[in-house]
Amino acid sequence: MAGGAAPPPKQEELQAHPVKDQLPSVSYCITSPPPWPEAIILGFQHYIVMLGTSVIIPSALVPQMGGGNEEKARVIQTLLFVAGINTLCQSFFGTRLPAVMGGSYTVVAPTISIIMAGRYSNETDPHEKFLRTMRGTQGALIIASTIQIILGFSGLWRNVVRFLSPLSAVPLISLAGFGLYELGFPGVAKCVEIGLPEIILMLIFSQYLPHAIHVAKPVFDRFSVIFTIAIVWLYAYILTASGAYKNARTKTQVHCRVDRSGLISGAPWINVPYPFQWGAPTFDAGECFAMMMVSFVALVESTGTFIAVSRYASATMIPPSVLGRGIGWQGIGTLLGAFFGTANGTAVSVENAGLLALTHVGSRRVVQISAGFMIFFSILGKFGAIFASIPLPIFAALYCIFFAYIGACGLSFLQFCNLNSFRTKFILGFSFFMGLSVPQYFNEYTSVAGYGPVHTGARWFNDMVNVPFSSKQFVAVLVAFFLDNTIQCRDTAVRRDRGYHWWDKFRSFKTDSRSEEFYSLPFNLNKFFPSV
């Protein structure tokens, strides 16, 4: 061989990577639980990860509602309690996926609108204002939950999802992760000396140590969240105790100190949340309409995350009927949250879906154990508050990794599409671009003017338009779904280009035997509630 040139590549090396219905290299799939000790630790890790959203949302809303640390602690406990019940319901009777059901960021904007409603502005007593606004959000969410329940259980959403192809699913799933970029590094930067070490340690523990130190079982990557949070939390405690933030600005102290959340002092030792604990819900027609629209947006967003969870649990594509069933149970979850008074809706936790990817464990049992931790620590208030007082920049650092995994999961569905097709390139590029560009305009306008581009005298109508078009995921899938089902969709070659034929066997529950293995209801309930 002249000049030591490299040998020509073998024929098999030139073959593209094979397309996979199920994700390989997952240690424990949806139906294969790890040993009990490992499952309990992994379940606790899921509980820790979902705490971020459960603390961030009430911390943003409760002070505006007029509540103090005590009310904030009780709302967080209630949110965790309801999340535990909803996660159990979803894993037993909904999609049966290892999906953690937590709070929804989408519901925050219309909740703020309710808080700012004129009928509460003349209330001078902060606690009374808190109770009144809480009852207002409960009423709106009770009505809004009916959208998810009706669309899910009636089969309407099932019929919509049947038109979803791998091509239109890419922006739906990708922007479930990438679309939350403002919760990542901007959150880390609020206390960079705590957030940045968490990112660096997570990279070392999850990506480098497993290859550098060979142990019998994967330890560093599988339990990297617990290891790194323990190290950085201790480091944050040392900084706080040594007086590093004694003369810092108030905002810096809130984000960096481990003793400024006010949750431990505000939480009762034992508290069992119960329905209508804040009083009887109140109803306003406009607010109910706005919340119904937002409920629909949350439903669309959760659809993408459900598909991502199925992929990382090494299950096959969710049959549309099972997805509809899951959305119906999400609606029941929203209704439960409204009854108990969480001031928030219910959605699939994107960060916990990312944790499935990090640990390579997609077991249903692990998530059911995590739901047990949520319920347990929500009742034992003080103990739960200790974990809930982890500085939020640590959670933001975790989001940088977990949201990236969900974004990448969406891109992985391009394996089913023809990327050499100009039609594919246009739909993909245009939907991603509009999904980022339209919400950027709406959000920029709001930050400058203090209200959205649609600004009429009816605040509820403004929310009905402004909130959906501020959701990157919603705008992107709206564009992709419309274009994919209207441009040359009847052409046989185009059908293959968009990957539609790959999901044919999963469009009906009975076509593929694996659907029954992963998604059939327990206790022989499929006899009474058959999936189609």
Side-chain angles (χ1 to χ4, degrees):
M1 199 178 294
K10 296 174 186 172
Q11 191 59 37
E12 60 265 23
E13 289 175 358
L14 296 173
Q15 297 298 318
H17 293 290
V19 172
K20 301 280 188 184
D21 280 335
Q22 292 173 256
L23 188 67
S25 307
V26 172
S27 304
Y28 297 99
C29 77
I30 187 169
T31 51
S32 59
W36 276 102
E38 194 174 337
I40 289 168
I41 299 169
L42 287 165
F44 181 70
Q45 199 166 236
H46 270 282
Y47 161 71
I48 291 290
V49 167
M50 70 86 58
L51 275 176
T53 298
S54 305
V55 172
I56 289 168
I57 294 173
S59 296
L61 294 177
V62 172
Q64 294 186 61
M65 295 165 78
N69 286 338
E70 195 176 318
E71 287 86 0
K72 183 168 73 172
R74 279 187 66 194
V75 171
I76 290 169
Q77 283 175 272
T78 306
L79 191 57
L80 283 170
F81 185 79
V82 171
I85 295 171
N86 289 340
T87 301
L88 286 174
C89 289
Q90 192 63 242
S91 65
F92 276 112
F93 310 116
T95 56
R96 306 228 61 213
L97 288 168
V100 171
M101 304 302 291
S104 170
Y105 288 104
T106 312
V107 181
V108 171
T111 306
I112 291 171
S113 282
I114 293 173
I115 294 166
M116 295 170 71
R119 64 183 185 280
Y120 305 125
S121 57
N122 58 357
E123 185 60 66
T124 52
D125 180 15
H127 181 68
E128 193 57 37
K129 185 187 177 188
F130 168 78
L131 291 176
R132 286 183 64 193
T133 50
M134 176 61 85
R135 291 170 198 151
T137 60
Q138 284 180 269
L141 284 163
I142 286 170
I143 303 300
S145 67
T146 58
I147 284 283
Q148 296 173 346
I149 293 169
I150 291 167
L151 285 176
F153 290 131
S154 69
L156 287 169
W157 192 243
R158 173 190 72 207
N159 294 333
V160 172
V161 172
R162 284 208 167 114
F163 290 96
L164 193 71
S165 72
L167 177 58
S168 50
V170 170
L172 171 66
I173 303 162
S174 288
L175 289 179
F178 294 147
L180 296 171
Y181 58 78
E182 68 268 19
L183 296 172
F185 198 79
V188 170
K190 286 174 179 172
C191 189
V192 77
E193 61 267 34
I194 289 173
L196 204 54
E198 177 64 27
I199 292 181
I200 294 165
L201 283 173
M202 275 295 290
L203 289 173
I204 292 169
F205 270 82
S206 66
Q207 306 301 322
Y208 291 98
L209 279 183
H211 307 291
I213 303 171
H214 297 285
V215 288
K217 291 189 83 175
V219 175
F220 297 113
D221 48 349
R222 194 159 290 172
F223 306 110
S224 54
V225 170
I226 289 177
F227 285 136
T228 57
I229 284 183
I231 294 166
V232 178
W233 197 12
L234 177 64
Y235 164 61
Y237 176 78
I238 293 167
L239 285 178
T240 303
S242 65
Y245 303 114
K246 199 173 282 180
N247 302 315
R249 292 178 306 152
T250 309
K251 266 193 175 180
T252 307
Q253 294 201 26
V254 167
H255 292 299
C256 299
R257 290 180 70 106
V258 296
D259 57 357
R260 281 301 162 96
S261 66
L263 295 177
I264 299 172
S265 59
W269 280 102
I270 293 178
N271 175 54
V272 182
Y274 55 91
F276 309 119
Q277 57 187 338
W278 314 109
T282 58
F283 297 89
D284 177 90
E287 288 165 4
C288 290
F289 279 122
M291 201 63 90
M292 284 168 82
M293 185 67 215
V294 172
S295 179
F296 178 70
V297 175
L299 171 162
V300 172
E301 293 175 347
S302 287
T303 298
T305 318
F306 273 134
I307 298 171
V309 170
S310 72
R311 190 75 183 160
Y312 282 135
S314 194
T316 50
M317 175 60 189
I318 319 174
S321 58
V322 174
L323 199 44
R325 193 173 73 199
I327 292 299
W329 276 98
Q330 182 182 338
I332 291 174
T334 302
L335 185 64
L336 268 179
F339 282 164
F340 279 85
T342 60
N344 198 242
T346 297
V348 187
S349 168
V350 179
E351 55 269 33
N352 287 86
L355 181 60
L356 298 176
L358 183 81
T359 58
H360 297 195
V361 176
S363 165
R364 188 187 292 137
R365 180 183 291 171
V366 167
V367 164
Q368 288 168 342
I369 290 168
S370 81
F373 278 116
M374 291 172 216
I375 295 168
F376 177 76
F377 283 116
S378 67
I379 293 170
L380 293 176
K382 290 281 186 202
F383 294 102
I386 292 169
F387 297 113
S389 62
I390 295 170
L392 294 178
I394 293 178
F395 287 111
L398 296 177
Y399 295 163
C400 292
I401 289 164
F402 296 147
F403 294 164
Y405 264 125
I406 300 306
C409 178
L411 296 178
S412 73
F413 283 92
L414 289 171
Q415 67 183 299
F416 301 109
C417 308
N418 177 12
L419 286 174
N420 292 317
S421 155
F422 276 103
R423 178 188 181 277
T424 303
K425 291 180 190 297
F426 170 71
I427 292 174
L428 191 65
F430 188 64
S431 61
F432 263 100
F433 186 84
M434 295 307 283
L436 295 170
S437 190
V438 172
Q440 176 67 17
Y441 163 69
F442 273 76
N443 293 331
E444 258 186 32
Y445 193 106
T446 305
S447 63
V448 173
Y451 47 81
V454 177
H455 182 59
T456 66
R459 193 187 286 271
W460 60 271
F461 178 77
N462 303 341
D463 283 342
M464 284 186 75
V465 181
N466 290 329
V467 172
F469 288 102
S470 299
S471 167
K472 301 169 186 71
Q473 198 182 351
F474 183 79
V475 173
V477 75
L478 192 68
V479 173
F481 189 82
F482 175 77
L483 295 177
D484 193 34
N485 285 287
T486 53
I487 300 176
Q488 298 175 275
C489 58
R490 298 191 186 282
D491 191 310
T492 311
V494 166
R495 196 175 188 277
R496 293 182 63 81
D497 287 349
R498 61 201 281 239
Y500 197 81
H501 61 295
W502 281 104
W503 285 355
D504 278 347
K505 57 181 174 286
F506 305 120
R507 287 203 168 81
S508 171
F509 184 76
K510 296 192 170 111
T511 322
D512 193 289
S513 59
R514 291 170 294 178
S515 294
E516 187 142 346
E517 179 194 347
F518 296 132
Y519 302 113
S520 62
L521 291 168
F523 319 122
N524 235 6
L525 284 172
N526 265 50
K527 280 185 179 177
F528 308 102
F529 305 101
S531 298
V532 292

